[in-house]
């Protein structure tokens, strides 16, 4: 018993060292906007721009990747790895878990990178996400919105188990394991087993797509906080990383939400500066647009210029009430512990946002969608083939009863 406790404590300490920093970064898909593959030079250009952004409220030296596989290959390691090593960019890695069982190819690519780069690579890995919005796509809302192929909790749990037993999983045993999904997927009690199995949970949230909820930019902070607090409530003691969020600079109006540079700046301030930056690992959407199917464009800069469309400097005051949101949940900490199995409170989700994304990749398929940006949080034209870093999916309104049911479980503004 004492030995077991000692081993768990040791694993927790290592994982804390890996995830104790509140990393800042962006999402990066495996392909460009024309669906052509990204190569080392493309990733390197992104990483250098991110680290050199004028006025940034911190160093954006991390990246979230959706796959370990180079676009249009079967199992070659994605060239983002080499670019990250050369630019000292930290990586949140991802494994695509929906559709065909592709874990062996993912692990082959990952093993090759570990063998080639050794500790120069492994020391930069801050987390492993097994799956991305699979639970949302598998939900009633995801099916209704034609969000693509998803997976139920048992599939995610099987992938996690296989990953831990793989050579790559053993080589990265100190790296905390998580899963990325939408807030309403996390608050669905049928998915609790996934929360129990991971060390941290990642949430993708886009108030822009919250139709029927007063999604005007001035209300975006409150909508985000409501979803974020709901997620942290069910996470219990486990940290919540924000893996996608942002506001489009161009595109169509979505209910009360309007894309513009001015509104993107307001969202950056009210959500990023007020709630996230320096408080939890955050991967903004996005530095560069890569989803040709999404008419909303989220890139904060043009052609990877280090001078963004808007001032990234954080203000000292905000319009959104601060309340208890930034400190109400014990899971607000960024520290993750590898191999943890803590319990969590389960809250049934209302029939809400369905703000899942097709973020991720269909690696190695060789199809036009391999590594192409996918839809996230409510795309009017959700794509089942483009699954790699995008934002935009159809959402439905929460029922009044569902919202009231959640009030007692988490803090609302």
């Amino acid at each position: 018993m004492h030995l077991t406790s000692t081993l768990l404590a040791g694993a927790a300490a290592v994982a804390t060292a890996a995830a104790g920093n509140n990393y800042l970064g962006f999402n990066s898909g495996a392909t460009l906007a024309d669906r052509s593959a990204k190569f080392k030079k493309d990733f390197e250009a992104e990483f250098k721009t991110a680290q050199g952004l004028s006025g940034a409220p911190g160093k954006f030296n991390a990246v979230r990747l959706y796959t370990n596989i180079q676009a249009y290959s079967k199992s070659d390691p994605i060239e983002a790895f080499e670019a990250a090593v050369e630019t000292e960019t930290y990586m949140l890695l991802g494994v695509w878990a929906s559709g065909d069982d592709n874990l062996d190819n993912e692990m082959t690519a990952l093993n090759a990178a570990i063998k080639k780069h050794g500790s120069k690579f492994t020391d930069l890995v801050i987390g492993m996400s097994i799956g991305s919005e699979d639970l949302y796509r598998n939900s009633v809302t995801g099916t209704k919105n034609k969000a693509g192929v998803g997976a139920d909790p048992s599939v995610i749990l099987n992938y996690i188990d296989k990953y831990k037993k793989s050579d790559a999983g053993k080589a990265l045993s100190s790296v905390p394991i998580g899963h990325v999904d939408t807030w309403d997927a996390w608050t669905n009690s049928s998915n609790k087993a996934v929360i129990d199995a991971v060390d941290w949970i990642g949430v993708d949230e886009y108030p822009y797509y919250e139709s029927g909820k007063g999604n005007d930019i001035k209300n975006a902070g409150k909508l985000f906080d409501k979803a974020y607090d709901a997620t942290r409530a069910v996470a219990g003691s486990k940290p919540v990383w924000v893996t996608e969020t942002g506001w489009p600079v161009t595109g169509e109006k979505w209910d009360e939400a309007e894309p513009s540079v001015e509104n993107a700046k307001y969202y950056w301030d009210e959500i990023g500066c007020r709630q996230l930056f320096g408080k939890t690992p955050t991967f903004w959407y996005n530095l560069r647009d890569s989803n040709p199917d999404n008419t909303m464009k989220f890139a904060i800069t043009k052609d990877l210029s280090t001078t963004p469309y808007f001032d990234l400097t954080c203000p000292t005051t905000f319009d959104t009430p601060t309340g208890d949101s930034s400190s109400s949940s014990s899971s607000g900490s960024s520290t993750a512990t590898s191999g943890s199995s803590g319990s969590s409170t389960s809250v049934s989700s209302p029939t809400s946002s369905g703000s899942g994304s097709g973020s991720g990749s269909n690696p190695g398929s060789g199809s036009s969608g391999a590594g192409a940006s996918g839809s996230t949080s409510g795309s009017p034209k959700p794509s089942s083939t483009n699954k790699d870093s995008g934002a935009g999916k159809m959402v439905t309104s929460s029922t009044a009863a569902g919202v009231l049911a959640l009030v007692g479980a988490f803090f609302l503004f």
Side-chain angles (χ1 to χ4, degrees):
M1 180 71 174
H2 175 71
L3 178 60
T4 301
S5 299
T6 301
L7 290 173
L8 288 175
V14 173
T16 297
N21 293 317
N22 292 315
Y23 296 99
L24 294 174
F26 296 95
N27 292 265
S28 185
T31 62
L32 297 167
D34 61 0
R35 305 188 196 279
S36 63
K38 284 184 187 176
F39 294 100
K40 176 187 171 183
K41 64 179 179 60
D42 301 304
F43 289 110
E44 195 172 72
E46 288 183 12
F47 301 162
K48 287 181 177 179
T49 292
Q51 293 183 26
L53 285 170
S54 176
K59 192 169 184 179
F60 281 74
N61 61 346
V63 64
R64 178 190 173 211
L65 302 172
Y66 296 91
T67 179
N68 301 295
I69 300 172
Q70 177 64 19
Y72 304 107
S73 76
K74 180 180 179 181
S75 59
D76 294 340
I78 190 168
E79 295 192 15
F81 291 163
E82 191 167 351
V85 168
E86 294 194 6
T87 58
E88 296 184 356
T89 297
Y90 292 97
M91 293 170 283
L92 168 55
L93 303 183
V95 170
W96 188 248
S98 291
D100 295 336
D101 187 344
N102 198 52
L103 186 60
D104 288 345
N105 291 334
E106 290 275 7
M107 293 304 98
T108 296
L110 192 53
N111 281 327
I114 293 172
K115 183 177 181 179
K116 180 177 181 179
H117 301 290
S119 61
K120 290 182 179 179
F121 171 76
T122 58
D123 288 351
L124 292 172
V125 180
I126 60 174
M128 173 63 74
S129 173
I130 306 298
S132 178
E133 299 196 4
D134 311 85
L135 302 176
Y136 158 72
R137 291 193 302 277
N138 194 59
S139 69
V140 173
T141 305
T143 301
K144 178 182 177 181
N145 293 338
K146 300 179 181 179
V149 177
D152 63 31
S154 65
V155 173
I156 304 301
L157 296 178
N158 184 47
Y159 263 64
I160 291 173
D161 183 60
K162 287 184 177 180
Y163 166 73
K164 288 181 177 179
K165 293 177 180 177
S166 69
D167 290 340
K170 292 175 182 177
L172 296 170
S173 60
S174 64
V175 173
I177 298 170
H179 172 75
V180 171
D181 231 293
T182 59
W183 75 270
D184 48 325
W186 286 124
T187 55
N188 186 327
S189 60
S190 67
N191 297 324
K192 181 180 181 295
V194 177
I195 296 176
D196 293 341
V198 297
D199 305 313
W200 56 272
I201 67 177
V203 64
D204 296 346
E205 170 58 14
Y206 294 86
Y208 180 83
Y209 293 106
E210 296 281 353
S211 299
K213 299 181 184 179
N215 60 336
D216 178 87
I217 184 60
K218 296 297 182 180
N219 197 41
K222 291 183 179 180
L223 288 177
F224 179 89
D225 288 353
K226 175 181 170 182
Y228 187 40
D229 286 347
T231 305
R232 297 197 298 177
V234 297
S237 62
K238 296 183 178 182
V240 174
W241 297 10
V242 176
T243 41
E244 286 184 31
T245 196
W247 193 276
V249 294
T250 63
E252 64 186 275
K253 183 177 180 181
W254 197 273
D255 196 15
E256 297 179 37
E258 296 188 36
S260 70
V261 170
E262 180 182 6
N263 287 348
K265 161 62 176 173
Y266 187 86
Y267 190 83
W268 176 274
D269 291 348
E270 293 295 312
I271 282 74
C273 295
R274 176 187 61 87
Q275 181 69 287
L276 303 178
F277 301 155
K279 297 178 182 179
T280 195
T282 301
F283 298 86
W284 202 259
Y285 195 83
N286 210 6
L287 185 67
R288 169 158 66 177
D289 288 300
S290 300
N291 183 6
D293 296 324
N294 190 9
T295 59
M296 277 67 78
K297 302 304 177 184
F298 288 74
I300 66 168
T301 184
K302 182 179 180 180
D303 299 328
L304 296 183
S305 169
T306 55
T307 301
Y309 287 128
F310 52 83
D311 184 5
L312 302 183
T313 304
C314 286
T316 56
T317 60
F318 307 95
D319 292 342
T320 306
T322 53
D324 296 326
S325 180
S326 62
S327 60
S328 62
S329 170
S330 61
S331 66
S333 166
S334 67
T335 303
T337 56
S338 179
S340 62
S341 59
S343 62
S344 59
T345 304
S346 180
V347 180
S348 296
S349 170
T351 56
S352 58
S353 71
S355 56
S357 83
S359 311
S361 151
N362 188 4
S365 70
S367 69
S368 62
S373 301
S375 64
T376 5
S377 249
S379 171
K381 296 180 180 179
S383 169
S384 60
T385 56
N386 298 326
K387 303 171 182 171
D388 205 288
S389 69
K393 29 191 167 340
M394 193 170 296
V395 295
T396 58
S397 301
S398 300
T399 63
V403 173
L404 290 173
L406 281 172
V407 170
F410 59 93
F411 296 93
L412 295 175
F413 281 131

